[in-house]
């Protein structure tokens, strides 16, 4: 319903669209998930909070770097920065979620109407960055192959709190063949700025996940025989933490509708 | 002169002293450089600022992670935390520097008299952590062999500012044989949380360093024939930034007199 009648058409190969053009398309009203867009460029989670919550948010991220790897921060009121050259954080993400007192009140494609000069923007790493490295390492990604969003689950693990921010760990899950689990650990551990190595391999019940078929965010995927569920810390965690602390206003991206940055995936590769 | 008459004697092998006992010795008044103490445990830089500067400090660190890798943050007024179990940040560092309006006013062995409930403590990674890995890799460390503190230099490179904090890059320098420069890069890049890979290899004039024989902090070292000067971002940077911004009060460690933490060096090894 928010789509403008002039919204641009979906490009034939979104992977070939560069980040500047991708942001321009979303700015013009295209509201689609960004998986597969702008191959080689880092996509990012978004969490925007008022300045009086910004220290707690940054400290929460420092204390919980696996779920909350901060790639960039825009100062209070700033709407652009080095990760989105020439862009506008209020319009360049395909879809946002607006929270008031911790409750979702809207999922707009543009947050210009909600903008305030005291809003601080946190750009948070996303596991999409290491998925292409996994694929290059010969590991197939079930949710990509099945054409759905990655399944994400709330767990029973609490994170280290910071001021008013607290929360339970949210994880993304990818089924990995037993013979490739070690490779998946090795490859993703080289990307510590985008969640890094898995937090858990195997039994989901230990994380308090009763049914892998019912993710809290994203879509369920089939787990083929001989595959183990492998869990990575997830960039939805800051949104979950913000919701628990019920601030007057907070804005995030809609799941799967990420900010496409000018940084390359390989910028976050170590060593 | 601040040494108590009951200050403990220097242990025969400081490397064999664990972090809890080392902090207790410093708490009792021992005021010595910590190089070589508590082998295998991470030593850390310290910067303590009032709460109203804490967001700027944390953001400065996020924007400049090579010089300012934050290992831990104690909330306003907190004097202990997981990196110094049972310890007290006001007494457990062998020597501190107190800055008022950006000027050094004291170098006490105890800051209890300066403590305020609005002080936030940042514990910042230190390159001592990767020095043992370099030695294990067959690379000798000149300043250790020569029994002096690592030489540190202010450079002409400015860091990305954050709020009121700004500053020039401070680097530490280690001479490395030309044939081992690649190994030194490879090994230190595996420690991104403690400054990581070098920022510069070779010509110091490009960094605005006129004379390697006259470091701004620490001691000069001889550079043997066939060695290149290799420069790493230095944890003194936050202190230099704080000095430039001239806050009413700030407290750091005295160079070479580090906080010995309960974290192991290998905790910061990736992947």
């Amino acid at each position: 319903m928010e789509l403008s009648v002039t919204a641009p058409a979906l490009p034939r190969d979104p992977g070939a669209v560069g980040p500047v053009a991708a942001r321009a398309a979303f700015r013009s009203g295209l509201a689609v998930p960004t998986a597969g867009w702008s191959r080689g460029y880092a996509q990012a989670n978004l969490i925007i909070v008022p300045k009086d919550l910004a220290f707690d948010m940054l400290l929460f991220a420092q204390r919980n770097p696996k779920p909350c790897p901060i790639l960039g921060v825009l100062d209070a009121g700033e709407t652009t920065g080095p990760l989105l050259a020439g862009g506008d954080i209020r319009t360049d993400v395909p879809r946002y979620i607006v929270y008031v007192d911790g409750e979702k009140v809207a999922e707009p494609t543009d947050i210009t109407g909600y903008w305030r000069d005291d809003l601080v923007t946190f750009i948070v790493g996303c596991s999409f960055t290491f998925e292409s490295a996994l694929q290059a390492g010969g590991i197939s990604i079930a949710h990509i192959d099945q054409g759905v969003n990655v399944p994400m689950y709330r767990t029973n693990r609490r994170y280290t709190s910071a001021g008013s921010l607290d929360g339970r760990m949210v994880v993304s899950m990818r089924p990995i063949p037993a013979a490739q689990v070690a490779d998946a650990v090795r490859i993703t551990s080289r990307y510590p700025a985008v969640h890094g190595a898995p937090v858990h391999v195997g039994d989901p019940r230990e994380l308090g996940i009763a049914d892998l078929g019912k993710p809290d965010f994203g879509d369920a995927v089939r787990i083929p025989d001989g595959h183990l569920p492998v869990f990575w810390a997830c960039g939805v965690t800051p949104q979950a933490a913000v919701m628990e602390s019920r601030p007057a206003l907070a804005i995030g991206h809609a799941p799967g509708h990420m900010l496409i940055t000018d940084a390359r995936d390989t910028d976050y590769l170590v060593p």
Side-chain angles (χ1 to χ4, degrees), chain A residues 1-10 21-33 37 90-96 107-110 257:
Chain A
M1 59 178 185
E2 287 112 342
L3 280 176
S4 150
V5 290
T6 59
L10 199 63
R23 293 193 299 265
F26 304 141
R27 193 181 312 140
S28 302
L30 187 64
V32 294
W37 278 70
R90 299 168 298 184
T91 55
D92 290 9
V93 168
R95 193 173 289 280
Y96 303 80
E107 292 198 47
T109 62
D110 179 316
H257 296 67

PDB file of all heavy atoms in Angstrom, chain A residues 1-10 21-33 37 90-96 107-110 257:
ATOM      1  N   MET A   1       0.827  -1.204   0.000  1.00  0.00           N
ATOM      2  CA  MET A   1       0.000   0.000   0.000  1.00  0.00           C
ATOM      3  C   MET A   1       0.862   1.255   0.000  1.00  0.00           C
ATOM      4  O   MET A   1       0.514   2.261  -0.565  1.00  0.00           O
ATOM      5  CB  MET A   1      -0.940   0.000   1.195  1.00  0.00           C
ATOM      6  CG  MET A   1      -0.188  -0.066   2.500  1.00  0.00           C
ATOM      7  SD  MET A   1      -1.312  -0.018   3.941  1.00  0.00           S
ATOM      8  CE  MET A   1      -0.136   0.047   5.273  1.00  0.00           C
ATOM      9  N   GLU A   2       2.077   1.136   0.631  1.00  0.00           N
ATOM     10  CA  GLU A   2       2.935   2.317   0.614  1.00  0.00           C
ATOM     11  C   GLU A   2       3.657   2.476  -0.740  1.00  0.00           C
ATOM     12  O   GLU A   2       4.317   3.464  -0.965  1.00  0.00           O
ATOM     13  CB  GLU A   2       4.007   2.248   1.703  1.00  0.00           C
ATOM     14  CG  GLU A   2       3.482   2.476   3.099  1.00  0.00           C
ATOM     15  CD  GLU A   2       3.552   1.207   3.941  1.00  0.00           C
ATOM     16  OE1 GLU A   2       3.680   0.125   3.321  1.00  0.00           O
ATOM     17  OE2 GLU A   2       3.441   1.306   5.168  1.00  0.00           O
ATOM     18  N   LEU A   3       3.579   1.456  -1.572  1.00  0.00           N
ATOM     19  CA  LEU A   3       4.308   1.520  -2.832  1.00  0.00           C
ATOM     20  C   LEU A   3       3.751   2.645  -3.704  1.00  0.00           C
ATOM     21  O   LEU A   3       2.548   2.709  -3.953  1.00  0.00           O
ATOM     22  CB  LEU A   3       4.169   0.196  -3.589  1.00  0.00           C
ATOM     23  CG  LEU A   3       5.088  -0.939  -3.130  1.00  0.00           C
ATOM     24  CD1 LEU A   3       4.760  -2.205  -3.914  1.00  0.00           C
ATOM     25  CD2 LEU A   3       6.541  -0.560  -3.308  1.00  0.00           C
ATOM     26  N   SER A   4       4.658   3.496  -4.123  1.00  0.00           N
ATOM     27  CA  SER A   4       4.244   4.557  -5.042  1.00  0.00           C
ATOM     28  C   SER A   4       3.915   3.929  -6.394  1.00  0.00           C
ATOM     29  O   SER A   4       4.453   2.883  -6.762  1.00  0.00           O
ATOM     30  CB  SER A   4       5.400   5.545  -5.187  1.00  0.00           C
ATOM     31  OG  SER A   4       5.374   6.149  -6.453  1.00  0.00           O
ATOM     32  N   VAL A   5       3.033   4.578  -7.129  1.00  0.00           N
ATOM     33  CA  VAL A   5       2.714   4.035  -8.456  1.00  0.00           C
ATOM     34  C   VAL A   5       3.916   4.119  -9.386  1.00  0.00           C
ATOM     35  O   VAL A   5       3.986   3.419 -10.385  1.00  0.00           O
ATOM     36  CB  VAL A   5       1.512   4.771  -9.108  1.00  0.00           C
ATOM     37  CG1 VAL A   5       0.229   4.415  -8.377  1.00  0.00           C
ATOM     38  CG2 VAL A   5       1.738   6.266  -9.156  1.00  0.00           C
ATOM     39  N   THR A   6       4.898   4.966  -9.015  1.00  0.00           N
ATOM     40  CA  THR A   6       6.086   5.075  -9.857  1.00  0.00           C
ATOM     41  C   THR A   6       7.242   4.233  -9.334  1.00  0.00           C
ATOM     42  O   THR A   6       8.367   4.410  -9.759  1.00  0.00           O
ATOM     43  CB  THR A   6       6.530   6.540  -9.945  1.00  0.00           C
ATOM     44  OG1 THR A   6       6.799   6.998  -8.608  1.00  0.00           O
ATOM     45  CG2 THR A   6       5.477   7.417 -10.569  1.00  0.00           C
ATOM     46  N   ALA A   7       6.955   3.330  -8.390  1.00  0.00           N
ATOM     47  CA  ALA A   7       8.052   2.497  -7.862  1.00  0.00           C
ATOM     48  C   ALA A   7       8.750   1.774  -9.004  1.00  0.00           C
ATOM     49  O   ALA A   7       8.088   1.236  -9.894  1.00  0.00           O
ATOM     50  CB  ALA A   7       7.508   1.483  -6.860  1.00  0.00           C
ATOM     51  N   PRO A   8      10.085   1.746  -8.983  1.00  0.00           N
ATOM     52  CA  PRO A   8      10.800   1.103 -10.092  1.00  0.00           C
ATOM     53  C   PRO A   8      10.529  -0.404 -10.108  1.00  0.00           C
ATOM     54  O   PRO A   8      10.231  -0.999  -9.079  1.00  0.00           O
ATOM     55  CB  PRO A   8      12.267   1.384  -9.772  1.00  0.00           C
ATOM     56  CG  PRO A   8      12.325   1.775  -8.342  1.00  0.00           C
ATOM     57  CD  PRO A   8      10.975   2.283  -7.956  1.00  0.00           C
ATOM     58  N   ALA A   9      10.634  -0.989 -11.268  1.00  0.00           N
ATOM     59  CA  ALA A   9      10.443  -2.429 -11.404  1.00  0.00           C
ATOM     60  C   ALA A   9      11.635  -3.162 -10.803  1.00  0.00           C
ATOM     61  O   ALA A   9      12.722  -2.607 -10.670  1.00  0.00           O
ATOM     62  CB  ALA A   9      10.297  -2.786 -12.881  1.00  0.00           C
ATOM     63  N   LEU A  10      11.415  -4.399 -10.420  1.00  0.00           N
ATOM     64  CA  LEU A  10      12.485  -5.246  -9.923  1.00  0.00           C
ATOM     65  C   LEU A  10      13.489  -5.474 -11.058  1.00  0.00           C
ATOM     66  O   LEU A  10      13.102  -5.856 -12.152  1.00  0.00           O
ATOM     67  CB  LEU A  10      11.880  -6.587  -9.467  1.00  0.00           C
ATOM     68  CG  LEU A  10      12.685  -7.449  -8.523  1.00  0.00           C
ATOM     69  CD1 LEU A  10      12.918  -6.737  -7.194  1.00  0.00           C
ATOM     70  CD2 LEU A  10      11.956  -8.768  -8.289  1.00  0.00           C
ATOM     71  N   ALA A  21      22.811   2.540  -6.723  1.00  0.00           N
ATOM     72  CA  ALA A  21      21.585   2.353  -7.505  1.00  0.00           C
ATOM     73  C   ALA A  21      20.531   1.586  -6.702  1.00  0.00           C
ATOM     74  O   ALA A  21      19.327   1.873  -6.808  1.00  0.00           O
ATOM     75  CB  ALA A  21      21.911   1.610  -8.805  1.00  0.00           C
ATOM     76  N   ALA A  22      20.968   0.640  -5.905  1.00  0.00           N
ATOM     77  CA  ALA A  22      20.019  -0.129  -5.096  1.00  0.00           C
ATOM     78  C   ALA A  22      19.318   0.800  -4.109  1.00  0.00           C
ATOM     79  O   ALA A  22      18.083   0.783  -3.983  1.00  0.00           O
ATOM     80  CB  ALA A  22      20.747  -1.252  -4.341  1.00  0.00           C
ATOM     81  N   ARG A  23      20.101   1.650  -3.441  1.00  0.00           N
ATOM     82  CA  ARG A  23      19.488   2.564  -2.469  1.00  0.00           C
ATOM     83  C   ARG A  23      18.532   3.531  -3.172  1.00  0.00           C
ATOM     84  O   ARG A  23      17.475   3.880  -2.640  1.00  0.00           O
ATOM     85  CB  ARG A  23      20.568   3.314  -1.680  1.00  0.00           C
ATOM     86  CG  ARG A  23      21.386   2.390  -0.769  1.00  0.00           C
ATOM     87  CD  ARG A  23      22.222   3.176   0.242  1.00  0.00           C
ATOM     88  NE  ARG A  23      23.182   4.065  -0.371  1.00  0.00           N
ATOM     89  CZ  ARG A  23      24.459   3.770  -0.607  1.00  0.00           C
ATOM     90  NH1 ARG A  23      24.946   2.584  -0.277  1.00  0.00           N
ATOM     91  NH2 ARG A  23      25.276   4.653  -1.168  1.00  0.00           N
ATOM     92  N   ALA A  24      18.923   3.954  -4.382  1.00  0.00           N
ATOM     93  CA  ALA A  24      18.049   4.861  -5.136  1.00  0.00           C
ATOM     94  C   ALA A  24      16.729   4.174  -5.471  1.00  0.00           C
ATOM     95  O   ALA A  24      15.654   4.786  -5.396  1.00  0.00           O
ATOM     96  CB  ALA A  24      18.761   5.332  -6.413  1.00  0.00           C
ATOM     97  N   ALA A  25      16.785   2.889  -5.816  1.00  0.00           N
ATOM     98  CA  ALA A  25      15.554   2.157  -6.145  1.00  0.00           C
ATOM     99  C   ALA A  25      14.653   2.066  -4.917  1.00  0.00           C
ATOM    100  O   ALA A  25      13.432   2.275  -5.009  1.00  0.00           O
ATOM    101  CB  ALA A  25      15.906   0.761  -6.664  1.00  0.00           C
ATOM    102  N   PHE A  26      15.246   1.762  -3.762  1.00  0.00           N
ATOM    103  CA  PHE A  26      14.434   1.654  -2.544  1.00  0.00           C
ATOM    104  C   PHE A  26      13.887   3.043  -2.159  1.00  0.00           C
ATOM    105  O   PHE A  26      12.760   3.166  -1.695  1.00  0.00           O
ATOM    106  CB  PHE A  26      15.248   1.052  -1.399  1.00  0.00           C
ATOM    107  CG  PHE A  26      15.841  -0.303  -1.739  1.00  0.00           C
ATOM    108  CD1 PHE A  26      17.116  -0.659  -1.324  1.00  0.00           C
ATOM    109  CD2 PHE A  26      15.114  -1.213  -2.488  1.00  0.00           C
ATOM    110  CE1 PHE A  26      17.657  -1.894  -1.658  1.00  0.00           C
ATOM    111  CE2 PHE A  26      15.643  -2.465  -2.832  1.00  0.00           C
ATOM    112  CZ  PHE A  26      16.925  -2.804  -2.419  1.00  0.00           C
ATOM    113  N   ARG A  27      14.707   4.061  -2.373  1.00  0.00           N
ATOM    114  CA  ARG A  27      14.267   5.435  -2.088  1.00  0.00           C
ATOM    115  C   ARG A  27      13.051   5.797  -2.936  1.00  0.00           C
ATOM    116  O   ARG A  27      12.160   6.520  -2.487  1.00  0.00           O
ATOM    117  CB  ARG A  27      15.429   6.401  -2.377  1.00  0.00           C
ATOM    118  CG  ARG A  27      15.256   7.827  -1.853  1.00  0.00           C
ATOM    119  CD  ARG A  27      16.487   8.673  -2.232  1.00  0.00           C
ATOM    120  NE  ARG A  27      17.718   7.976  -1.894  1.00  0.00           N
ATOM    121  CZ  ARG A  27      18.830   7.965  -2.650  1.00  0.00           C
ATOM    122  NH1 ARG A  27      18.866   8.616  -3.805  1.00  0.00           N
ATOM    123  NH2 ARG A  27      19.897   7.305  -2.258  1.00  0.00           N
ATOM    124  N   SER A  28      13.014   5.258  -4.151  1.00  0.00           N
ATOM    125  CA  SER A  28      11.895   5.548  -5.058  1.00  0.00           C
ATOM    126  C   SER A  28      10.660   4.730  -4.745  1.00  0.00           C
ATOM    127  O   SER A  28       9.648   4.862  -5.414  1.00  0.00           O
ATOM    128  CB  SER A  28      12.314   5.267  -6.509  1.00  0.00           C
ATOM    129  OG  SER A  28      13.433   6.049  -6.851  1.00  0.00           O
ATOM    130  N   GLY A  29      10.760   3.822  -3.742  1.00  0.00           N
ATOM    131  CA  GLY A  29       9.553   3.131  -3.315  1.00  0.00           C
ATOM    132  C   GLY A  29       9.573   1.625  -3.501  1.00  0.00           C
ATOM    133  O   GLY A  29       8.627   0.951  -3.087  1.00  0.00           O
ATOM    134  N   LEU A  30      10.607   1.076  -4.124  1.00  0.00           N
ATOM    135  CA  LEU A  30      10.676  -0.382  -4.252  1.00  0.00           C
ATOM    136  C   LEU A  30      10.858  -0.985  -2.847  1.00  0.00           C
ATOM    137  O   LEU A  30      11.761  -0.588  -2.119  1.00  0.00           O
ATOM    138  CB  LEU A  30      11.856  -0.770  -5.154  1.00  0.00           C
ATOM    139  CG  LEU A  30      11.964  -2.254  -5.523  1.00  0.00           C
ATOM    140  CD1 LEU A  30      10.763  -2.710  -6.368  1.00  0.00           C
ATOM    141  CD2 LEU A  30      13.277  -2.525  -6.267  1.00  0.00           C
ATOM    142  N   ALA A  31       9.964  -1.890  -2.481  1.00  0.00           N
ATOM    143  CA  ALA A  31       9.986  -2.435  -1.111  1.00  0.00           C
ATOM    144  C   ALA A  31      10.050  -3.948  -1.170  1.00  0.00           C
ATOM    145  O   ALA A  31       9.031  -4.631  -1.049  1.00  0.00           O
ATOM    146  CB  ALA A  31       8.750  -1.967  -0.348  1.00  0.00           C
ATOM    147  N   VAL A  32      11.269  -4.464  -1.370  1.00  0.00           N
ATOM    148  CA  VAL A  32      11.461  -5.912  -1.509  1.00  0.00           C
ATOM    149  C   VAL A  32      12.583  -6.356  -0.578  1.00  0.00           C
ATOM    150  O   VAL A  32      13.428  -5.546  -0.184  1.00  0.00           O
ATOM    151  CB  VAL A  32      11.842  -6.273  -2.964  1.00  0.00           C
ATOM    152  CG1 VAL A  32      10.672  -5.969  -3.902  1.00  0.00           C
ATOM    153  CG2 VAL A  32      13.104  -5.520  -3.410  1.00  0.00           C
ATOM    154  N   PRO A  33      12.601  -7.660  -0.221  1.00  0.00           N
ATOM    155  CA  PRO A  33      13.755  -8.170   0.531  1.00  0.00           C
ATOM    156  C   PRO A  33      15.034  -8.002  -0.292  1.00  0.00           C
ATOM    157  O   PRO A  33      14.986  -8.051  -1.530  1.00  0.00           O
ATOM    158  CB  PRO A  33      13.428  -9.648   0.738  1.00  0.00           C
ATOM    159  CG  PRO A  33      11.940  -9.746   0.572  1.00  0.00           C
ATOM    160  CD  PRO A  33      11.586  -8.700  -0.451  1.00  0.00           C
ATOM    161  N   TRP A  37      20.801  -9.026  -3.540  1.00  0.00           N
ATOM    162  CA  TRP A  37      21.092  -7.736  -4.172  1.00  0.00           C
ATOM    163  C   TRP A  37      22.567  -7.357  -4.006  1.00  0.00           C
ATOM    164  O   TRP A  37      23.209  -7.696  -3.027  1.00  0.00           O
ATOM    165  CB  TRP A  37      20.247  -6.627  -3.519  1.00  0.00           C
ATOM    166  CG  TRP A  37      18.842  -6.545  -4.055  1.00  0.00           C
ATOM    167  CD1 TRP A  37      17.831  -7.443  -3.854  1.00  0.00           C
ATOM    168  CD2 TRP A  37      18.301  -5.496  -4.868  1.00  0.00           C
ATOM    169  NE1 TRP A  37      16.690  -7.028  -4.501  1.00  0.00           N
ATOM    170  CE2 TRP A  37      16.945  -5.832  -5.129  1.00  0.00           C
ATOM    171  CE3 TRP A  37      18.821  -4.314  -5.398  1.00  0.00           C
ATOM    172  CZ2 TRP A  37      16.110  -5.020  -5.892  1.00  0.00           C
ATOM    173  CZ3 TRP A  37      17.989  -3.505  -6.155  1.00  0.00           C
ATOM    174  CH2 TRP A  37      16.655  -3.863  -6.409  1.00  0.00           C
ATOM    175  N   ARG A  90      16.786   7.732   5.967  1.00  0.00           N
ATOM    176  CA  ARG A  90      15.339   7.787   6.194  1.00  0.00           C
ATOM    177  C   ARG A  90      14.540   7.173   5.046  1.00  0.00           C
ATOM    178  O   ARG A  90      13.340   6.920   5.186  1.00  0.00           O
ATOM    179  CB  ARG A  90      14.891   9.239   6.391  1.00  0.00           C
ATOM    180  CG  ARG A  90      15.546   9.906   7.586  1.00  0.00           C
ATOM    181  CD  ARG A  90      15.308  11.405   7.564  1.00  0.00           C
ATOM    182  NE  ARG A  90      15.911  12.027   6.376  1.00  0.00           N
ATOM    183  CZ  ARG A  90      15.923  13.330   6.139  1.00  0.00           C
ATOM    184  NH1 ARG A  90      15.369  14.165   7.010  1.00  0.00           N
ATOM    185  NH2 ARG A  90      16.502  13.813   5.052  1.00  0.00           N
ATOM    186  N   THR A  91      15.215   6.984   3.904  1.00  0.00           N
ATOM    187  CA  THR A  91      14.487   6.535   2.710  1.00  0.00           C
ATOM    188  C   THR A  91      15.128   5.336   2.011  1.00  0.00           C
ATOM    189  O   THR A  91      14.481   4.709   1.175  1.00  0.00           O
ATOM    190  CB  THR A  91      14.431   7.675   1.668  1.00  0.00           C
ATOM    191  OG1 THR A  91      15.792   8.103   1.411  1.00  0.00           O
ATOM    192  CG2 THR A  91      13.630   8.861   2.174  1.00  0.00           C
ATOM    193  N   ASP A  92      16.377   5.024   2.333  1.00  0.00           N
ATOM    194  CA  ASP A  92      17.160   4.128   1.478  1.00  0.00           C
ATOM    195  C   ASP A  92      17.087   2.663   1.863  1.00  0.00           C
ATOM    196  O   ASP A  92      17.721   1.815   1.227  1.00  0.00           O
ATOM    197  CB  ASP A  92      18.626   4.568   1.465  1.00  0.00           C
ATOM    198  CG  ASP A  92      18.814   5.875   0.702  1.00  0.00           C
ATOM    199  OD1 ASP A  92      17.804   6.497   0.343  1.00  0.00           O
ATOM    200  OD2 ASP A  92      19.973   6.257   0.471  1.00  0.00           O
ATOM    201  N   VAL A  93      16.324   2.349   2.900  1.00  0.00           N
ATOM    202  CA  VAL A  93      16.085   0.958   3.281  1.00  0.00           C
ATOM    203  C   VAL A  93      14.700   0.604   2.721  1.00  0.00           C
ATOM    204  O   VAL A  93      13.778   1.425   2.779  1.00  0.00           O
ATOM    205  CB  VAL A  93      16.133   0.828   4.822  1.00  0.00           C
ATOM    206  CG1 VAL A  93      15.618  -0.519   5.299  1.00  0.00           C
ATOM    207  CG2 VAL A  93      17.567   1.085   5.316  1.00  0.00           C
ATOM    208  N   PRO A  94      14.528  -0.589   2.143  1.00  0.00           N
ATOM    209  CA  PRO A  94      13.248  -0.871   1.472  1.00  0.00           C
ATOM    210  C   PRO A  94      12.043  -0.833   2.411  1.00  0.00           C
ATOM    211  O   PRO A  94      10.964  -0.416   2.004  1.00  0.00           O
ATOM    212  CB  PRO A  94      13.441  -2.270   0.873  1.00  0.00           C
ATOM    213  CG  PRO A  94      14.791  -2.738   1.256  1.00  0.00           C
ATOM    214  CD  PRO A  94      15.546  -1.621   1.881  1.00  0.00           C
ATOM    215  N   ARG A  95      12.222  -1.287   3.653  1.00  0.00           N
ATOM    216  CA  ARG A  95      11.095  -1.234   4.578  1.00  0.00           C
ATOM    217  C   ARG A  95      11.616  -1.152   6.008  1.00  0.00           C
ATOM    218  O   ARG A  95      12.636  -1.757   6.341  1.00  0.00           O
ATOM    219  CB  ARG A  95      10.180  -2.459   4.407  1.00  0.00           C
ATOM    220  CG  ARG A  95       8.840  -2.303   5.117  1.00  0.00           C
ATOM    221  CD  ARG A  95       7.876  -3.457   4.804  1.00  0.00           C
ATOM    222  NE  ARG A  95       7.353  -3.445   3.446  1.00  0.00           N
ATOM    223  CZ  ARG A  95       6.349  -2.671   3.019  1.00  0.00           C
ATOM    224  NH1 ARG A  95       5.761  -1.835   3.841  1.00  0.00           N
ATOM    225  NH2 ARG A  95       5.937  -2.731   1.767  1.00  0.00           N
ATOM    226  N   TYR A  96      10.932  -0.356   6.815  1.00  0.00           N
ATOM    227  CA  TYR A  96      11.341  -0.125   8.208  1.00  0.00           C
ATOM    228  C   TYR A  96      10.281  -0.670   9.154  1.00  0.00           C
ATOM    229  O   TYR A  96       9.148  -0.943   8.743  1.00  0.00           O
ATOM    230  CB  TYR A  96      11.485   1.378   8.478  1.00  0.00           C
ATOM    231  CG  TYR A  96      12.448   2.119   7.575  1.00  0.00           C
ATOM    232  CD1 TYR A  96      12.082   2.517   6.291  1.00  0.00           C
ATOM    233  CD2 TYR A  96      13.731   2.438   8.028  1.00  0.00           C
ATOM    234  CE1 TYR A  96      12.966   3.205   5.473  1.00  0.00           C
ATOM    235  CE2 TYR A  96      14.620   3.141   7.214  1.00  0.00           C
ATOM    236  CZ  TYR A  96      14.229   3.518   5.938  1.00  0.00           C
ATOM    237  OH  TYR A  96      15.104   4.207   5.127  1.00  0.00           O
ATOM    238  N   GLU A 107       5.055  -0.198   9.537  1.00  0.00           N
ATOM    239  CA  GLU A 107       6.126  -0.784   8.727  1.00  0.00           C
ATOM    240  C   GLU A 107       6.249   0.012   7.434  1.00  0.00           C
ATOM    241  O   GLU A 107       5.977  -0.500   6.346  1.00  0.00           O
ATOM    242  CB  GLU A 107       5.849  -2.266   8.425  1.00  0.00           C
ATOM    243  CG  GLU A 107       5.916  -3.145   9.652  1.00  0.00           C
ATOM    244  CD  GLU A 107       6.080  -4.637   9.300  1.00  0.00           C
ATOM    245  OE1 GLU A 107       6.933  -4.958   8.448  1.00  0.00           O
ATOM    246  OE2 GLU A 107       5.369  -5.457   9.884  1.00  0.00           O
ATOM    247  N   PRO A 108       6.668   1.279   7.526  1.00  0.00           N
ATOM    248  CA  PRO A 108       6.680   2.148   6.345  1.00  0.00           C
ATOM    249  C   PRO A 108       7.902   1.888   5.455  1.00  0.00           C
ATOM    250  O   PRO A 108       8.857   1.226   5.860  1.00  0.00           O
ATOM    251  CB  PRO A 108       6.761   3.545   6.956  1.00  0.00           C
ATOM    252  CG  PRO A 108       7.543   3.344   8.216  1.00  0.00           C
ATOM    253  CD  PRO A 108       7.135   1.980   8.735  1.00  0.00           C
ATOM    254  N   THR A 109       7.852   2.433   4.258  1.00  0.00           N
ATOM    255  CA  THR A 109       8.997   2.347   3.348  1.00  0.00           C
ATOM    256  C   THR A 109       9.831   3.628   3.411  1.00  0.00           C
ATOM    257  O   THR A 109      10.818   3.761   2.688  1.00  0.00           O
ATOM    258  CB  THR A 109       8.519   2.135   1.891  1.00  0.00           C
ATOM    259  OG1 THR A 109       7.746   3.271   1.509  1.00  0.00           O
ATOM    260  CG2 THR A 109       7.689   0.872   1.769  1.00  0.00           C
ATOM    261  N   ASP A 110       9.465   4.519   4.297  1.00  0.00           N
ATOM    262  CA  ASP A 110      10.119   5.833   4.387  1.00  0.00           C
ATOM    263  C   ASP A 110       9.852   6.324   5.815  1.00  0.00           C
ATOM    264  O   ASP A 110       8.712   6.234   6.290  1.00  0.00           O
ATOM    265  CB  ASP A 110       9.449   6.758   3.352  1.00  0.00           C
ATOM    266  CG  ASP A 110      10.011   8.170   3.339  1.00  0.00           C
ATOM    267  OD1 ASP A 110      10.216   8.753   4.416  1.00  0.00           O
ATOM    268  OD2 ASP A 110      10.206   8.695   2.226  1.00  0.00           O
ATOM    269  N   HIS A 257      14.917  -6.887   4.930  1.00  0.00           N
ATOM    270  CA  HIS A 257      14.929  -5.649   4.134  1.00  0.00           C
ATOM    271  C   HIS A 257      16.067  -4.767   4.663  1.00  0.00           C
ATOM    272  O   HIS A 257      15.854  -3.883   5.488  1.00  0.00           O
ATOM    273  CB  HIS A 257      13.593  -4.923   4.240  1.00  0.00           C
ATOM    274  CG  HIS A 257      12.430  -5.674   3.676  1.00  0.00           C
ATOM    275  ND1 HIS A 257      11.955  -6.847   4.222  1.00  0.00           N
ATOM    276  CD2 HIS A 257      11.635  -5.423   2.594  1.00  0.00           C
ATOM    277  CE1 HIS A 257      10.928  -7.294   3.513  1.00  0.00           C
ATOM    278  NE2 HIS A 257      10.706  -6.453   2.515  1.00  0.00           N
TER     279      HIS A 257
END
